[in-house]
Amino acid sequence: MAACVSRVELSVSCRSLLDRDLGSRSDPLCVLLQDAGGGRWAELDRTEKIKNCQDPEFCKKLVVDYYFEKVQKLKFSVYDIDNESFDLNDDDYLGGVECTLGQVVSNSVFTRPLELKQGKPAGKGTITISAEEIKDTRVVYFEIEAQNLDKKDFLGKSDPFLEFYKQTDAGTWQLVYRSEVIKNNLNPCWRKFSVPLQTFCGGDFNKPIKVQCADHDSNGSHDLIGTLETTLAQMQTAGAGSLVEYECIHPEKKEKKKNYKNSGIIRIKSCKIETEYSFLDYVMGGCQINFTVGVDFTASNGDPKLPDSLHYVSPDGINEYLIAIWSVGSVVQDYDTDKLFPAFGFGAQVPPSWQVSHEFALNFNPSNPYCQGIQGIVDAYRQILPQIRLYGPTNFSPIINHVARFAAHSLQQGTAAQYFILLIITDGEITDLDQTRQAIVNASKLPMSIIIVGVGEADFKAMEFLDGDNGVLKSVTGEPAARDIVQFVPFRQFKNAPQEALSQMVLAEVPKQLVSYYKWQGWPPLKLSEIKAM
């Protein structure tokens, strides 16, 4: 496995985008994709959507791991977003550009024309990307309010929002944060927010920072209320009851009006710097990743003796279930010291009683369901196939609850010692959807992630529903998941791809999920002193 040299943060802006909306301007968003081989692209990150704007400067930075020894082919695709769904297939394509990460990092500013397809320009649209290496893992947290802002709206007050810009080495201003809009309020208090220190000021506490306060207009023509210039060093003096106040100045008003005082006061209530830990900080700090496999043995898979069955083992010894176990397990096993993995089946009639079971050990040893390494899981799977009867229904909740019990037990330690990954491989016909939703919502409060690989050609609508990408998953009673812990991938997309493509797609979310969980709990890595000494 190539060692990641560093992480790079990409700032994206566009000019003269095509206008696809009737009666208003486009609502652009930029997606970053990486070449996954075989003509397929895997999404790495995406910016926010900006309403009614043909010259967007995106605030959200796109983060990508940079490997010096790999040619990393990237595609930046810009879409006009017309709905709330995560899927981009129903949105208008405004153009894209293909390049390598090497090209981007070796140019301080990388500008290219957007193309609808190769050789066909997207009007006069261009995209500009600038890269910055992330060296600093600290994060700055702010609480900010304003008082007596100028009234800008004819019938209402103002709808103020803030934008923070850092001064680049070339002397230009680069957007680093945009706040939410507070409607109809001249004394707004914005919600607490955080920005990576590297993004905010490149780690230089004395770098000039410009803050712009504007009145939001839905048509994109925002009115400036006023600006101020400061540094992080100045803002840091806020806190413990002492506020840092700045006059918000509108340059034109100041020039024209003799008795002009200001257009309001911006007040920094709190400015704190904290360390943000990475996935590697936790792993190198001693966090063990526990891997469990759940295999679907329901009758909808077909008779394993027949070649059209999903459980049919081909003459060369493989099927989709085995490929999924190998490709995901071979990555995860490196993070587990004992290499003992519990493996279960569900939805089959099991000897000797031939009762249907929804969590039977693949090795038929319920008191010790652990298999030695990934090869042990594969061997147990092959041995059990002729000994069970595929049946039904397809219930996920028992095996999710099984792993959740272990995760809940480790939670009581109160440290970042153990994280659990459950891989469920299924043909997709889920029966206990309501109970599974509840099980996932409960598990979202625990140190665990769930990966679902769908095999075969079934309709995986239910699986996509469980993967909370299209919004927060809720239980039947309406309780939302504390965080998104499910990643669903249909195997058919990877049938002809190299083995590592599936594992990369399936495991892409896990580091983020692990870090977000421990951050939510406020737990640092176990062996912090060792990390600092390295």
Side-chain angles (χ1 to χ4, degrees), residues 309-321:
S309 167
L310 293 167
H311 280 297
Y312 175 75
V313 179
S314 67
D316 55 358
I318 59 164
N319 62 25
E320 292 187 7
Y321 280 92

Side-chain angles (χ1 to χ4, degrees), residues 135-408:
K135 302 189 197 83
D136 202 318
T137 57
R138 289 171 296 173
V139 174
V140 57
Y141 288 84
F142 288 102
E143 290 179 67
I144 298 181
E145 64 185 19
Q147 283 190 322
N148 303 321
L149 294 176
D150 282 357
K151 175 177 174 295
K152 288 286 185 181
D153 291 348
F154 178 62
L155 293 170
K157 295 175 181 175
S158 285
D159 305 324
F161 68 99
L162 297 175
E163 288 184 325
F164 289 73
Y165 295 83
K166 71 177 171 192
Q167 195 169 48
T168 65
D169 295 340
T172 57
W173 293 102
Q174 186 179 69
L175 180 69
V176 295
Y177 179 77
R178 183 183 287 123
S179 78
E180 80 277 20
V181 176
I182 295 184
K183 292 268 186 191
N184 211 27
N185 193 333
L186 300 179
N187 300 290
C189 183
W190 288 277
R191 62 171 170 256
K192 186 178 179 180
F193 65 92
S194 65
V195 186
L197 193 67
Q198 177 89 35
T199 306
F200 192 76
C201 62
D204 178 355
F205 286 49
N206 295 309
K207 187 185 277 282
I209 301 290
K210 182 167 78 171
V211 184
Q212 201 160 285
C213 182
D215 169 40
H216 183 272
D217 284 331
S218 56
N219 67 3
S221 60
H222 313 309
D223 300 316
L224 179 68
I225 293 173
T227 65
L228 62 97
E229 277 192 41
T230 181
T231 64
L232 182 57
Q234 284 177 358
M235 290 190 274
Q236 258 194 298
T237 57
S242 70
L243 303 172
V244 178
E245 295 193 347
Y246 298 93
E247 287 189 299
C248 192
I249 303 295
H250 193 294
E252 286 178 18
K253 284 190 176 179
K254 188 181 180 185
E255 211 169 282
K256 287 178 185 171
K257 295 184 179 177
K258 275 186 182 171
N259 57 354
Y260 174 78
K261 201 171 173 193
N262 59 52
S263 293
I265 302 291
I266 306 283
R267 302 168 69 172
I268 315 290
K269 289 159 62 180
S270 167
C271 172
K272 288 187 189 142
I273 291 167
E274 294 177 16
T275 299
E276 192 102 314
Y277 300 110
S278 71
F279 176 67
L280 285 180
D281 287 337
Y282 283 106
V283 168
M284 291 159 79
C287 181
Q288 288 290 303
I289 295 180
N290 301 279
F291 180 52
T292 304
V293 177
V295 178
D296 179 345
F297 287 109
T298 53
S300 51
N301 282 279
D303 183 346
K305 297 187 203 69
L306 302 174
D308 60 353
S309 167
L310 293 167
H311 280 297
Y312 175 75
V313 179
S314 67
D316 55 358
I318 59 164
N319 62 25
E320 292 187 7
Y321 280 92
L322 286 169
I323 294 170
I325 291 169
W326 265 122
S327 58
V328 178
S330 59
V331 174
V332 175
Q333 69 177 348
D334 290 344
Y335 300 94
D336 189 317
T337 45
D338 65 13
K339 305 282 186 280
L340 291 171
F341 305 116
F344 299 92
F346 57 91
Q349 292 176 320
V350 182
S353 65
W354 299 107
Q355 291 287 313
V356 174
S357 171
H358 294 293
E359 46 172 314
F360 57 90
L362 284 194
N363 63 5
F364 279 151
N365 185 347
S367 60
N368 184 12
Y370 296 91
C371 299
Q372 182 66 54
I374 302 306
Q375 186 63 52
I377 301 175
V378 169
D379 294 343
Y381 169 83
R382 285 186 174 137
Q383 284 161 16
I384 203 173
L385 259 182
Q387 303 181 60
I388 57 174
R389 293 180 195 148
L390 274 56
Y391 207 72
T394 310
N395 291 353
F396 283 11
S397 58
I399 194 165
I400 294 172
N401 291 330
H402 178 102
V403 175
R405 283 193 290 276
F406 286 92

Side-chain angles (χ1 to χ4, degrees), residues 88-103:
L88 297 168
N89 288 327
D90 52 1
D91 297 302
D92 290 325
Y93 185 54
L94 300 178
V97 65
E98 288 182 29
C99 58
T100 66
L101 185 54
Q103 286 175 300

Side-chain angles (χ1 to χ4, degrees), residues 416-427:
Q418 297 197 64
Y419 195 84
F420 294 79
I421 296 175
L422 169 60
L423 168 64
I424 297 175
I425 314 170
T426 177
D427 73 345

